[in-house]
């Protein structure tokens, strides 16, 4: 079956899905994106994803008048045409097409909208494994809260991880020494007193939707979460570490560089939170059905 994607108001065969070479996303990475998980035709955490999209658009002053509800309808139509029930949505909005000039176009242009679906079914029955990460310098710009499609530093960082047989790279801000997050996920540790620790929201990290959900779930289950910056020396002392993202959920990290965490075993708190997250997803699905 041909895969169908959405490009600027049209549902097209994926192989014919193109944008113009003068698109400012192509020319300047002048755009934003979201990645959302849909299971059993239910979008997980839809509202926070669309709120973050609105934030990213507003910060870059990209005027897009398509509402979250309209996006929902387009995604449902894509779902129908692709005959899928479990998938990721990739939604990208750029400032639009205009002759190449750094400044914003003077005349009003329509933002370019691209939406693709990729089949993906979460398999919670699969035994989780501990992953390896490396550390590296966070060389990104100062507005990491914006989910911009300008991802070169993230790409280079992730490539370094992969070339070192690691799943992720834990990014460290050179000036402060604080760990911010990873190339495509947020980073948590469990300290010796069983507190969960992660970098606070702000301009230094992307406010991951999975991060916020897991913090809420953890607190509801009497786990203490401290949103304060910490350093690599705190990771040395940590009992557990894990990363979070929409595409991964929670992945335990059992080794960072040469540092083995919890003797290389997945910790009890990581297991517990992952299980709670599974229940949370299952509840969202059953609430919607
Ligand atoms: N940080 C960065 C830099 C990311 O790219 C991502 C995922 N795109 C995340 C964190 C996790 O965000 P979310 O939980 O919303 O997928």
């Amino acid at each position: 079956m041909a895969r169908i994607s959405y490009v600027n108001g049209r549902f097209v065969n994926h192989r014919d899905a193109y944008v113009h070479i003068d698109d400012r996303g192509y020319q300047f990475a002048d755009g934003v994106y979201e990645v959302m998980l849909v299971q059993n035709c239910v979008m997980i955490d839809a509202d926070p994803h669309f709120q973050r999209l609105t934030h990213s658009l507003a910060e870059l002053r990209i005027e897009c008048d398509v509402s979250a509800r309209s996006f929902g309808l387009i995604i449902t139509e894509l779902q129908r045409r692709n005959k899928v029930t479990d998938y990721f949505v990739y939604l990208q909005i750029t400032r639009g097409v205009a002759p190449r000039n750094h400044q914003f176009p003077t005349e009003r242009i329509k933002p370019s909208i691209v939406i693709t679906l990729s089949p993906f079914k979460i398999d919670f029955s699969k035994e989780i494994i501990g992953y390896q990460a490396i550390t590296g310098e966070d060389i990104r710009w100062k507005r990491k809260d914006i989910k911009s499609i300008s991802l070169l530093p993230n790409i280079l960082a992730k490539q370094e991880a992969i070339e070192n047989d690691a799943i992720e790279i834990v990014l460290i801000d050179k000036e402060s020494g604080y760990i911010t997050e990873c190339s495509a996920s947020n980073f948590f540790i469990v300290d010796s007193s069983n507190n969960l620790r992660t970098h606070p929201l702000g301009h230094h990290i992307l406010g991951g939707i999975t991060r916020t959900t897991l913090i809420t779930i953890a607190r509801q289950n009497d786990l203490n979460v401290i949103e304060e910056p910490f350093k690599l020396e705190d990771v040395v002392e940590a009992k557990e570490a894990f990363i979070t993202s929409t595409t991964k959920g929670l992945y335990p990290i059992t080794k960072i560089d040469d540092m083995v965490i919890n003797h290389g075993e997945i910790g009890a708190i990581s297991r517990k939170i992952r299980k709670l997250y599974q229940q949370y997803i299952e509840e969202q699905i059953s609430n919607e059905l």
Side-chain angles (χ1 to χ4, degrees):
M1 191 191 71
R3 189 176 163 206
I4 308 294
S5 295
Y6 176 89
V7 184
N8 291 328
R10 294 169 58 226
F11 294 92
V12 292
N13 275 330
H14 192 74
R15 62 171 181 275
D16 303 320
Y18 296 112
V19 290
H20 196 278
I21 56 165
D22 277 343
D23 192 282
R24 289 180 61 95
Y26 179 67
Q27 294 283 355
F28 298 117
D30 183 1
V32 302
Y33 74 107
E34 274 299 321
V35 176
M36 295 165 284
L37 175 66
V38 176
Q39 295 289 283
N40 218 346
C41 303
V42 176
M43 186 180 286
I44 308 303
D45 286 337
D47 290 347
H49 275 287
F50 283 111
Q51 280 156 14
R52 185 172 64 185
L53 181 66
T54 303
H55 168 76
S56 300
L57 288 167
E59 291 303 303
L60 299 186
R61 292 157 60 197
I62 295 175
E63 287 174 29
C64 177
D65 54 13
V66 182
S67 64
R69 198 183 124 68
S70 301
F71 278 126
L73 293 173
I74 297 168
I75 293 164
T76 306
E77 180 58 16
L78 271 178
Q79 172 184 290
R80 191 186 68 76
R81 291 185 187 227
N82 284 286
K83 298 190 173 57
V84 285
T85 54
D86 305 290
Y87 55 91
F88 287 118
V89 181
Y90 178 78
L91 192 171
Q92 176 178 299
I93 305 175
T94 72
R95 199 176 305 277
V97 175
R100 191 180 185 284
N101 257 323
H102 283 64
Q103 72 266 27
F104 294 176
T106 43
E107 74 228 55
R108 235 183 117 83
I109 53 168
K110 274 186 123 178
S112 301
I113 302 175
V114 167
I115 307 177
T116 58
L117 306 190
S118 310
F120 176 81
K121 171 110 182 118
I122 303 187
D123 182 2
F124 280 114
S125 66
K126 230 166 74 188
E127 186 53 31
I128 45 163
I129 57 166
Y131 290 91
Q132 194 168 323
I134 58 168
T135 56
E137 188 186 343
D138 192 342
I139 59 165
R140 298 173 299 162
W141 72 329
K142 294 186 176 167
R143 290 304 308 274
K144 293 132 192 153
D145 55 309
I146 300 170
K147 201 161 167 60
S148 147
I149 58 171
S150 174
L151 288 170
L152 260 186
N154 306 61
I155 289 166
L156 295 176
K158 185 60 163 256
Q159 183 61 21
E160 198 183 327
I162 299 304
E163 286 173 5
N164 285 283
D165 300 320
I167 188 99
E168 256 293 15
I169 177 161
V170 177
L171 299 173
I172 304 171
D173 180 82
K174 207 174 171 186
E175 271 168 41
S176 64
Y178 292 134
I179 289 174
T180 51
E181 55 179 335
C182 298
S183 72
S185 52
N186 292 110
F187 183 69
F188 286 76
I189 55 170
V190 178
D191 71 16
S192 54
S193 310
N194 288 344
N195 299 306
L196 285 164
R197 291 182 179 269
T198 194
H199 196 288
L201 293 176
H203 290 179
H204 293 290
I205 63 162
L206 180 77
I209 306 304
T210 323
R211 172 194 177 281
T212 301
T213 296
L214 288 191
I215 289 175
T216 308
I217 296 175
R219 286 184 175 144
Q220 282 165 353
N221 287 275
D222 300 324
L223 288 162
N224 192 33
V225 186
I226 302 173
E227 295 177 77
E228 280 171 19
F230 57 87
K231 296 187 174 178
L232 198 55
E233 59 221 48
D234 300 301
V235 180
V236 179
E237 314 259 292
K239 284 167 78 176
E240 301 179 29
F242 58 84
I243 57 172
T244 65
S245 76
T246 301
T247 51
K248 294 189 167 57
L250 181 158
Y251 272 16
I253 300 294
T254 47
K255 193 170 176 226
I256 302 177
D257 295 335
D258 291 331
M259 198 161 55
V260 176
I261 300 165
N262 196 33
H263 310 289
E265 301 290 325
I266 300 165
I269 294 181
S270 304
R271 281 188 192 279
K272 180 176 173 178
I273 297 173
R274 189 170 176 279
K275 185 94 197 141
L276 291 167
Y277 185 56
Q278 170 188 348
Q279 285 164 5
Y280 172 83
I281 290 181
E282 286 165 351
E283 270 162 33
Q284 276 205 27
I285 293 168
S286 59
N287 287 347
E288 293 268 335
L289 293 178

